[in-house]
Amino acid sequence: MSVEAITDTISMIDSPYHGLGEVLETYLIQGQKSAVIDPGPAPLVPGVIETLEATGVTHLDYILLTHIHIDHAGGCWKMLETYPDATIHCHPRGAEHVIDPSRLLAAAGKIFGDALSEFGEVRGVPAERVAESTDGETLNLGGVSLETIWTPGHSSHSQSYFEPDSGVVFAGDAAGYYPGNKGVLVPDAPPPHNPAQAADSLLKLMRYEPKTIAYSHFGYYDEATTRLERFLDQTRLWDRLAQDGVEAGLSLNDIFDLLVEEDPEARELAGIDEEGKRAVYFNLKSFVGYAKWRRKSP
Ligand SMILES: [Zn+2]
């Protein structure tokens, strides 16, 4: 477990996941009120709470969700056991699944199979603890504020948070991820992923001219706008190769070969080990799925 101050009001908590660090970052925002962004799945939550206690946070006002995927939000119920008054703030498309996760779990089960159980128990939370966000809404924490920016693409319920004084943007998975801590950024694209929406969301984030970008997986970096621009180019490249490949009747393997030829980051990741290669395949498959869907329903 580690905690690192990014500014006077923002810290990054890295709570271990089955003993591993740098799996999901939780961010703590402290004004007169306190908020965490993405508590993680249940196995991560005890470490987050321990850190909050060590930091002197006795009351938590908000649990802010960049989206409701289990690795970000599965442990909300466990957070509420310690902070029963906290409000869970999420995109309206995600709210019903936070209250009743059964459909979300069924969908995740199809993607992850038995590995889903690693994320620990996922329980619904009382509806009155969930607040639906609006796009552009400002959350005033007293001395520090956060703007909610809807950024669909990675999921339909993705949203980012922007802290205007420091220029830190919390992008969740909307701006890519570093699979397996290998230093290479690629799209995080579980199905159904929508690259057209993802590209629009990246342009939207750039208009805020953020200085620092805080990723969920993982860490925070300066030169946020340059990183967003590069990632937009990468997203468009993956989308173009998938669309052209589907149009030309190429297989996923053929499109993979073209991708690793054209995208140096995908090439590097796929060349590191089997796990890296699997990550590229898994994410590319969703781009191809989108291209097939678009072809059927233009
Ligand atoms: Zn996600």
mmCIF file of all heavy atoms in Angstrom, residues 230-269:
data_model
loop_
_atom_site.group_PDB
_atom_site.id
_atom_site.type_symbol
_atom_site.label_atom_id
_atom_site.label_comp_id
_atom_site.label_asym_id
_atom_site.label_seq_id
_atom_site.Cartn_x
_atom_site.Cartn_y
_atom_site.Cartn_z
ATOM 1 N N ARG A 230 -1.559 11.957 -28.770
ATOM 2 C CA ARG A 230 -0.924 10.724 -29.267
ATOM 3 C C ARG A 230 -1.879 9.550 -29.185
ATOM 4 O O ARG A 230 -1.960 8.715 -30.065
ATOM 5 C CB ARG A 230 0.340 10.419 -28.444
ATOM 6 C CG ARG A 230 1.570 10.974 -29.103
ATOM 7 C CD ARG A 230 2.878 10.627 -28.432
ATOM 8 N NE ARG A 230 2.860 9.562 -27.450
ATOM 9 C CZ ARG A 230 3.541 9.595 -26.315
ATOM 10 N NH1 ARG A 230 4.290 10.635 -26.033
ATOM 11 N NH2 ARG A 230 3.499 8.586 -25.484
ATOM 12 N N PHE A 231 -2.630 9.500 -28.073
ATOM 13 C CA PHE A 231 -3.550 8.385 -27.898
ATOM 14 C C PHE A 231 -4.725 8.474 -28.877
ATOM 15 O O PHE A 231 -5.235 7.446 -29.333
ATOM 16 C CB PHE A 231 -4.053 8.319 -26.450
ATOM 17 C CG PHE A 231 -4.906 7.115 -26.210
ATOM 18 C CD1 PHE A 231 -4.350 5.841 -26.237
ATOM 19 C CD2 PHE A 231 -6.269 7.232 -26.014
ATOM 20 C CE1 PHE A 231 -5.130 4.713 -26.060
ATOM 21 C CE2 PHE A 231 -7.058 6.115 -25.836
ATOM 22 C CZ PHE A 231 -6.495 4.848 -25.851
ATOM 23 N N LEU A 232 -5.126 9.712 -29.222
ATOM 24 C CA LEU A 232 -6.181 9.885 -30.229
ATOM 25 C C LEU A 232 -5.705 9.333 -31.570
ATOM 26 O O LEU A 232 -6.439 8.594 -32.248
ATOM 27 C CB LEU A 232 -6.556 11.370 -30.346
ATOM 28 C CG LEU A 232 -7.539 11.730 -31.459
ATOM 29 C CD1 LEU A 232 -8.892 11.060 -31.229
ATOM 30 C CD2 LEU A 232 -7.730 13.251 -31.546
ATOM 31 N N ASP A 233 -4.468 9.662 -31.952
ATOM 32 C CA ASP A 233 -3.908 9.131 -33.205
ATOM 33 C C ASP A 233 -3.902 7.601 -33.176
ATOM 34 O O ASP A 233 -4.229 6.946 -34.165
ATOM 35 C CB ASP A 233 -2.457 9.624 -33.408
ATOM 36 C CG ASP A 233 -2.412 11.106 -33.759
ATOM 37 O OD1 ASP A 233 -3.471 11.664 -34.119
ATOM 38 O OD2 ASP A 233 -1.323 11.704 -33.645
ATOM 39 N N GLN A 234 -3.509 7.062 -32.034
ATOM 40 C CA GLN A 234 -3.421 5.602 -31.910
ATOM 41 C C GLN A 234 -4.817 4.962 -32.027
ATOM 42 O O GLN A 234 -4.987 3.957 -32.721
ATOM 43 C CB GLN A 234 -2.792 5.259 -30.557
ATOM 44 C CG GLN A 234 -2.383 3.807 -30.421
ATOM 45 C CD GLN A 234 -1.822 3.513 -29.036
ATOM 46 O OE1 GLN A 234 -2.124 4.215 -28.062
ATOM 47 N NE2 GLN A 234 -1.011 2.479 -28.934
ATOM 48 N N THR A 235 -5.791 5.573 -31.361
ATOM 49 C CA THR A 235 -7.165 5.050 -31.420
ATOM 50 C C THR A 235 -7.674 5.066 -32.861
ATOM 51 O O THR A 235 -8.288 4.105 -33.334
ATOM 52 C CB THR A 235 -8.090 5.900 -30.520
ATOM 53 O OG1 THR A 235 -7.606 5.814 -29.186
ATOM 54 C CG2 THR A 235 -9.530 5.418 -30.573
ATOM 55 N N ARG A 236 -7.391 6.180 -33.570
ATOM 56 C CA ARG A 236 -7.846 6.287 -34.966
ATOM 57 C C ARG A 236 -7.142 5.270 -35.858
ATOM 58 O O ARG A 236 -7.744 4.732 -36.779
ATOM 59 C CB ARG A 236 -7.604 7.702 -35.479
ATOM 60 C CG ARG A 236 -8.612 8.674 -34.906
ATOM 61 C CD ARG A 236 -8.316 10.086 -35.343
ATOM 62 N NE ARG A 236 -9.420 10.984 -35.038
ATOM 63 C CZ ARG A 236 -9.297 12.303 -34.919
ATOM 64 N NH1 ARG A 236 -8.119 12.871 -35.097
ATOM 65 N NH2 ARG A 236 -10.346 13.040 -34.651
ATOM 66 N N LEU A 237 -5.847 5.002 -35.561
ATOM 67 C CA LEU A 237 -5.112 4.006 -36.347
ATOM 68 C C LEU A 237 -5.723 2.614 -36.153
ATOM 69 O O LEU A 237 -5.981 1.894 -37.130
ATOM 70 C CB LEU A 237 -3.630 4.000 -35.935
ATOM 71 C CG LEU A 237 -2.770 2.876 -36.523
ATOM 72 C CD1 LEU A 237 -2.623 3.045 -38.041
ATOM 73 C CD2 LEU A 237 -1.378 2.841 -35.869
ATOM 74 N N TRP A 238 -5.956 2.231 -34.910
ATOM 75 C CA TRP A 238 -6.546 0.909 -34.629
ATOM 76 C C TRP A 238 -7.912 0.790 -35.308
ATOM 77 O O TRP A 238 -8.246 -0.235 -35.897
ATOM 78 C CB TRP A 238 -6.717 0.696 -33.115
ATOM 79 C CG TRP A 238 -5.460 0.383 -32.368
ATOM 80 C CD1 TRP A 238 -4.258 1.023 -32.477
ATOM 81 C CD2 TRP A 238 -5.277 -0.639 -31.380
ATOM 82 N NE1 TRP A 238 -3.349 0.466 -31.603
ATOM 83 C CE2 TRP A 238 -3.941 -0.552 -30.924
ATOM 84 C CE3 TRP A 238 -6.105 -1.599 -30.823
ATOM 85 C CZ2 TRP A 238 -3.425 -1.405 -29.949
ATOM 86 C CZ3 TRP A 238 -5.601 -2.460 -29.848
ATOM 87 C CH2 TRP A 238 -4.272 -2.353 -29.425
ATOM 88 N N ASP A 239 -8.694 1.884 -35.237
ATOM 89 C CA ASP A 239 -10.037 1.878 -35.820
ATOM 90 C C ASP A 239 -9.944 1.733 -37.345
ATOM 91 O O ASP A 239 -10.667 0.930 -37.944
ATOM 92 C CB ASP A 239 -10.749 3.183 -35.428
ATOM 93 C CG ASP A 239 -12.216 3.175 -35.822
ATOM 94 O OD1 ASP A 239 -12.820 2.080 -35.859
ATOM 95 O OD2 ASP A 239 -12.776 4.258 -36.086
ATOM 96 N N ARG A 240 -9.024 2.492 -37.962
ATOM 97 C CA ARG A 240 -8.887 2.444 -39.418
ATOM 98 C C ARG A 240 -8.456 1.043 -39.869
ATOM 99 O O ARG A 240 -9.024 0.472 -40.800
ATOM 100 C CB ARG A 240 -7.857 3.491 -39.885
ATOM 101 C CG ARG A 240 -7.633 3.484 -41.397
ATOM 102 C CD ARG A 240 -6.776 4.645 -41.858
ATOM 103 N NE ARG A 240 -5.427 4.674 -41.314
ATOM 104 C CZ ARG A 240 -4.438 3.864 -41.669
ATOM 105 N NH1 ARG A 240 -4.641 2.914 -42.563
ATOM 106 N NH2 ARG A 240 -3.238 3.980 -41.128
ATOM 107 N N LEU A 241 -7.456 0.472 -39.170
ATOM 108 C CA LEU A 241 -6.977 -0.856 -39.565
ATOM 109 C C LEU A 241 -8.081 -1.903 -39.404
ATOM 110 O O LEU A 241 -8.223 -2.798 -40.238
ATOM 111 C CB LEU A 241 -5.744 -1.250 -38.741
ATOM 112 C CG LEU A 241 -4.484 -0.445 -39.050
ATOM 113 C CD1 LEU A 241 -3.382 -0.791 -38.059
ATOM 114 C CD2 LEU A 241 -4.005 -0.699 -40.479
ATOM 115 N N ALA A 242 -8.869 -1.774 -38.333
ATOM 116 C CA ALA A 242 -9.966 -2.731 -38.112
ATOM 117 C C ALA A 242 -11.024 -2.577 -39.203
ATOM 118 O O ALA A 242 -11.478 -3.576 -39.786
ATOM 119 C CB ALA A 242 -10.575 -2.515 -36.733
ATOM 120 N N GLN A 243 -11.386 -1.339 -39.510
ATOM 121 C CA GLN A 243 -12.431 -1.109 -40.521
ATOM 122 C C GLN A 243 -11.964 -1.580 -41.899
ATOM 123 O O GLN A 243 -12.701 -2.264 -42.615
ATOM 124 C CB GLN A 243 -12.777 0.384 -40.593
ATOM 125 C CG GLN A 243 -13.180 0.940 -39.255
ATOM 126 C CD GLN A 243 -14.590 1.515 -39.256
ATOM 127 O OE1 GLN A 243 -15.403 1.222 -40.131
ATOM 128 N NE2 GLN A 243 -14.873 2.320 -38.271
ATOM 129 N N ASP A 244 -10.729 -1.183 -42.271
ATOM 130 C CA ASP A 244 -10.204 -1.589 -43.588
ATOM 131 C C ASP A 244 -10.073 -3.108 -43.656
ATOM 132 O O ASP A 244 -10.378 -3.720 -44.680
ATOM 133 C CB ASP A 244 -8.823 -0.953 -43.852
ATOM 134 C CG ASP A 244 -8.919 0.554 -44.076
ATOM 135 O OD1 ASP A 244 -10.055 1.070 -44.153
ATOM 136 O OD2 ASP A 244 -7.861 1.210 -44.164
ATOM 137 N N GLY A 245 -9.619 -3.700 -42.556
ATOM 138 C CA GLY A 245 -9.430 -5.146 -42.524
ATOM 139 C C GLY A 245 -10.748 -5.890 -42.677
ATOM 140 O O GLY A 245 -10.844 -6.858 -43.446
ATOM 141 N N VAL A 246 -11.765 -5.434 -41.969
ATOM 142 C CA VAL A 246 -13.081 -6.077 -42.049
ATOM 143 C C VAL A 246 -13.639 -5.913 -43.464
ATOM 144 O O VAL A 246 -14.170 -6.856 -44.061
ATOM 145 C CB VAL A 246 -14.041 -5.475 -40.985
ATOM 146 C CG1 VAL A 246 -15.487 -5.855 -41.263
ATOM 147 C CG2 VAL A 246 -13.628 -5.929 -39.588
ATOM 148 N N GLU A 247 -13.466 -4.712 -44.015
ATOM 149 C CA GLU A 247 -13.926 -4.413 -45.384
ATOM 150 C C GLU A 247 -13.266 -5.370 -46.389
ATOM 151 O O GLU A 247 -13.906 -5.877 -47.305
ATOM 152 C CB GLU A 247 -13.551 -2.949 -45.698
ATOM 153 C CG GLU A 247 -14.251 -2.330 -46.888
ATOM 154 C CD GLU A 247 -15.770 -2.290 -46.743
ATOM 155 O OE1 GLU A 247 -16.240 -1.889 -45.666
ATOM 156 O OE2 GLU A 247 -16.465 -2.693 -47.695
ATOM 157 N N ALA A 248 -11.966 -5.630 -46.150
ATOM 158 C CA ALA A 248 -11.204 -6.484 -47.084
ATOM 159 C C ALA A 248 -11.346 -7.970 -46.758
ATOM 160 O O ALA A 248 -10.733 -8.816 -47.417
ATOM 161 C CB ALA A 248 -9.731 -6.081 -47.042
ATOM 162 N N GLY A 249 -12.153 -8.295 -45.723
ATOM 163 C CA GLY A 249 -12.368 -9.699 -45.372
ATOM 164 C C GLY A 249 -11.179 -10.343 -44.677
ATOM 165 O O GLY A 249 -11.017 -11.566 -44.714
ATOM 166 N N LEU A 250 -10.308 -9.540 -44.047
ATOM 167 C CA LEU A 250 -9.140 -10.106 -43.356
ATOM 168 C C LEU A 250 -9.549 -10.736 -42.023
ATOM 169 O O LEU A 250 -10.541 -10.336 -41.408
ATOM 170 C CB LEU A 250 -8.097 -9.008 -43.088
ATOM 171 C CG LEU A 250 -7.511 -8.262 -44.293
ATOM 172 C CD1 LEU A 250 -6.436 -7.284 -43.819
ATOM 173 C CD2 LEU A 250 -6.920 -9.237 -45.309
ATOM 174 N N SER A 251 -8.741 -11.699 -41.571
ATOM 175 C CA SER A 251 -8.982 -12.329 -40.270
ATOM 176 C C SER A 251 -8.407 -11.433 -39.171
ATOM 177 O O SER A 251 -7.605 -10.531 -39.440
ATOM 178 C CB SER A 251 -8.298 -13.694 -40.220
ATOM 179 O OG SER A 251 -6.895 -13.507 -40.228
ATOM 180 N N LEU A 252 -8.783 -11.739 -37.917
ATOM 181 C CA LEU A 252 -8.233 -11.000 -36.769
ATOM 182 C C LEU A 252 -6.704 -11.115 -36.753
ATOM 183 O O LEU A 252 -5.996 -10.147 -36.504
ATOM 184 C CB LEU A 252 -8.846 -11.542 -35.467
ATOM 185 C CG LEU A 252 -8.357 -10.911 -34.169
ATOM 186 C CD1 LEU A 252 -8.666 -9.421 -34.103
ATOM 187 C CD2 LEU A 252 -8.973 -11.620 -32.955
ATOM 188 N N ASN A 253 -6.196 -12.309 -37.075
ATOM 189 C CA ASN A 253 -4.736 -12.508 -37.108
ATOM 190 C C ASN A 253 -4.060 -11.614 -38.138
ATOM 191 O O ASN A 253 -3.003 -11.034 -37.871
ATOM 192 C CB ASN A 253 -4.406 -13.969 -37.440
ATOM 193 C CG ASN A 253 -4.632 -14.875 -36.250
ATOM 194 O OD1 ASN A 253 -4.710 -14.401 -35.112
ATOM 195 N ND2 ASN A 253 -4.768 -16.167 -36.512
ATOM 196 N N ASP A 254 -4.692 -11.497 -39.322
ATOM 197 C CA ASP A 254 -4.125 -10.630 -40.378
ATOM 198 C C ASP A 254 -4.103 -9.182 -39.911
ATOM 199 O O ASP A 254 -3.119 -8.458 -40.125
ATOM 200 C CB ASP A 254 -4.972 -10.708 -41.664
ATOM 201 C CG ASP A 254 -4.890 -12.078 -42.320
ATOM 202 O OD1 ASP A 254 -3.917 -12.794 -42.045
ATOM 203 O OD2 ASP A 254 -5.811 -12.430 -43.088
ATOM 204 N N ILE A 255 -5.216 -8.756 -39.289
ATOM 205 C CA ILE A 255 -5.308 -7.358 -38.835
ATOM 206 C C ILE A 255 -4.288 -7.116 -37.719
ATOM 207 O O ILE A 255 -3.644 -6.074 -37.670
ATOM 208 C CB ILE A 255 -6.751 -7.009 -38.395
ATOM 209 C CG1 ILE A 255 -7.725 -7.226 -39.566
ATOM 210 C CG2 ILE A 255 -6.837 -5.570 -37.904
ATOM 211 C CD1 ILE A 255 -9.207 -7.140 -39.193
ATOM 212 N N PHE A 256 -4.107 -8.123 -36.876
ATOM 213 C CA PHE A 256 -3.091 -8.042 -35.809
ATOM 214 C C PHE A 256 -1.701 -7.810 -36.426
ATOM 215 O O PHE A 256 -0.946 -6.946 -35.977
ATOM 216 C CB PHE A 256 -3.110 -9.332 -34.978
ATOM 217 C CG PHE A 256 -2.041 -9.402 -33.930
ATOM 218 C CD1 PHE A 256 -2.279 -8.927 -32.644
ATOM 219 C CD2 PHE A 256 -0.789 -9.942 -34.219
ATOM 220 C CE1 PHE A 256 -1.288 -8.984 -31.674
ATOM 221 C CE2 PHE A 256 0.202 -10.001 -33.252
ATOM 222 C CZ PHE A 256 -0.049 -9.525 -31.976
ATOM 223 N N ASP A 257 -1.385 -8.563 -37.474
ATOM 224 C CA ASP A 257 -0.070 -8.425 -38.122
ATOM 225 C C ASP A 257 0.125 -7.014 -38.673
ATOM 226 O O ASP A 257 1.208 -6.442 -38.562
ATOM 227 C CB ASP A 257 0.081 -9.457 -39.251
ATOM 228 C CG ASP A 257 0.215 -10.873 -38.705
ATOM 229 O OD1 ASP A 257 0.502 -11.010 -37.486
ATOM 230 O OD2 ASP A 257 0.030 -11.842 -39.472
ATOM 231 N N LEU A 258 -0.946 -6.469 -39.282
ATOM 232 C CA LEU A 258 -0.848 -5.100 -39.819
ATOM 233 C C LEU A 258 -0.681 -4.093 -38.688
ATOM 234 O O LEU A 258 0.075 -3.130 -38.794
ATOM 235 C CB LEU A 258 -2.116 -4.760 -40.624
ATOM 236 C CG LEU A 258 -2.279 -5.523 -41.943
ATOM 237 C CD1 LEU A 258 -3.659 -5.240 -42.551
ATOM 238 C CD2 LEU A 258 -1.179 -5.113 -42.935
ATOM 239 N N LEU A 259 -1.408 -4.343 -37.588
ATOM 240 C CA LEU A 259 -1.349 -3.412 -36.456
ATOM 241 C C LEU A 259 0.061 -3.344 -35.870
ATOM 242 O O LEU A 259 0.599 -2.251 -35.646
ATOM 243 C CB LEU A 259 -2.360 -3.825 -35.371
ATOM 244 C CG LEU A 259 -2.332 -2.966 -34.110
ATOM 245 C CD1 LEU A 259 -2.912 -1.580 -34.367
ATOM 246 C CD2 LEU A 259 -3.086 -3.626 -32.958
ATOM 247 N N VAL A 260 0.658 -4.504 -35.624
ATOM 248 C CA VAL A 260 1.991 -4.475 -34.995
ATOM 249 C C VAL A 260 3.055 -3.911 -35.955
ATOM 250 O O VAL A 260 4.093 -3.428 -35.533
ATOM 251 C CB VAL A 260 2.428 -5.854 -34.421
ATOM 252 C CG1 VAL A 260 1.514 -6.267 -33.289
ATOM 253 C CG2 VAL A 260 2.478 -6.923 -35.488
ATOM 254 N N GLU A 261 2.756 -3.937 -37.254
ATOM 255 C CA GLU A 261 3.645 -3.295 -38.214
ATOM 256 C C GLU A 261 3.543 -1.772 -38.099
ATOM 257 O O GLU A 261 4.539 -1.073 -38.160
ATOM 258 C CB GLU A 261 3.197 -3.699 -39.620
ATOM 259 C CG GLU A 261 4.311 -4.075 -40.570
ATOM 260 C CD GLU A 261 3.711 -4.720 -41.809
ATOM 261 O OE1 GLU A 261 3.305 -3.983 -42.715
ATOM 262 O OE2 GLU A 261 3.608 -5.975 -41.822
ATOM 263 N N GLU A 262 2.310 -1.285 -37.907
ATOM 264 C CA GLU A 262 2.084 0.176 -37.985
ATOM 265 C C GLU A 262 2.133 0.896 -36.644
ATOM 266 O O GLU A 262 2.401 2.089 -36.607
ATOM 267 C CB GLU A 262 0.723 0.450 -38.653
ATOM 268 C CG GLU A 262 0.769 0.165 -40.138
ATOM 269 C CD GLU A 262 -0.180 1.047 -40.931
ATOM 270 O OE1 GLU A 262 -0.380 2.221 -40.560
ATOM 271 O OE2 GLU A 262 -0.736 0.532 -41.910
ATOM 272 N N ASP A 263 1.803 0.201 -35.552
ATOM 273 C CA ASP A 263 1.768 0.867 -34.245
ATOM 274 C C ASP A 263 2.948 0.387 -33.402
ATOM 275 O O ASP A 263 2.964 -0.755 -32.927
ATOM 276 C CB ASP A 263 0.439 0.551 -33.537
ATOM 277 C CG ASP A 263 0.372 1.196 -32.146
ATOM 278 O OD1 ASP A 263 1.342 1.879 -31.744
ATOM 279 O OD2 ASP A 263 -0.646 1.003 -31.459
ATOM 280 N N PRO A 264 3.950 1.269 -33.198
ATOM 281 C CA PRO A 264 5.144 0.833 -32.451
ATOM 282 C C PRO A 264 4.830 0.395 -31.019
ATOM 283 O O PRO A 264 5.499 -0.494 -30.487
ATOM 284 C CB PRO A 264 6.045 2.073 -32.460
ATOM 285 C CG PRO A 264 5.232 3.209 -32.986
ATOM 286 C CD PRO A 264 4.041 2.647 -33.693
ATOM 287 N N GLU A 265 3.791 1.008 -30.396
ATOM 288 C CA GLU A 265 3.468 0.627 -29.008
ATOM 289 C C GLU A 265 2.868 -0.785 -28.970
ATOM 290 O O GLU A 265 3.206 -1.601 -28.119
ATOM 291 C CB GLU A 265 2.496 1.637 -28.391
ATOM 292 C CG GLU A 265 3.052 3.041 -28.444
ATOM 293 C CD GLU A 265 2.909 3.792 -27.148
ATOM 294 O OE1 GLU A 265 3.140 3.204 -26.077
ATOM 295 O OE2 GLU A 265 2.551 4.979 -27.222
ATOM 296 N N ALA A 266 1.952 -1.052 -29.918
ATOM 297 C CA ALA A 266 1.362 -2.397 -29.988
ATOM 298 C C ALA A 266 2.459 -3.422 -30.281
ATOM 299 O O ALA A 266 2.473 -4.517 -29.707
ATOM 300 C CB ALA A 266 0.283 -2.442 -31.065
ATOM 301 N N ARG A 267 3.393 -3.036 -31.170
ATOM 302 C CA ARG A 267 4.492 -3.955 -31.526
ATOM 303 C C ARG A 267 5.347 -4.265 -30.300
ATOM 304 O O ARG A 267 5.679 -5.403 -30.010
ATOM 305 C CB ARG A 267 5.349 -3.320 -32.636
ATOM 306 C CG ARG A 267 6.504 -4.199 -33.083
ATOM 307 C CD ARG A 267 7.111 -3.707 -34.397
ATOM 308 N NE ARG A 267 7.639 -2.359 -34.329
ATOM 309 C CZ ARG A 267 7.170 -1.314 -35.029
ATOM 310 N NH1 ARG A 267 6.151 -1.462 -35.854
ATOM 311 N NH2 ARG A 267 7.720 -0.120 -34.908
ATOM 312 N N GLU A 268 5.669 -3.189 -29.550
ATOM 313 C CA GLU A 268 6.515 -3.373 -28.376
ATOM 314 C C GLU A 268 5.813 -4.263 -27.348
ATOM 315 O O GLU A 268 6.400 -5.224 -26.845
ATOM 316 C CB GLU A 268 6.856 -2.010 -27.758
ATOM 317 C CG GLU A 268 7.958 -2.129 -26.727
ATOM 318 C CD GLU A 268 8.285 -0.803 -26.049
ATOM 319 O OE1 GLU A 268 8.110 0.254 -26.683
ATOM 320 O OE2 GLU A 268 8.710 -0.856 -24.881
ATOM 321 N N LEU A 269 4.544 -3.954 -27.079
ATOM 322 C CA LEU A 269 3.801 -4.730 -26.072
ATOM 323 C C LEU A 269 3.672 -6.198 -26.484
ATOM 324 O O LEU A 269 3.927 -7.105 -25.686
ATOM 325 C CB LEU A 269 2.411 -4.112 -25.872
ATOM 326 C CG LEU A 269 1.511 -4.792 -24.861
ATOM 327 C CD1 LEU A 269 2.140 -4.790 -23.463
ATOM 328 C CD2 LEU A 269 0.139 -4.114 -24.795
#
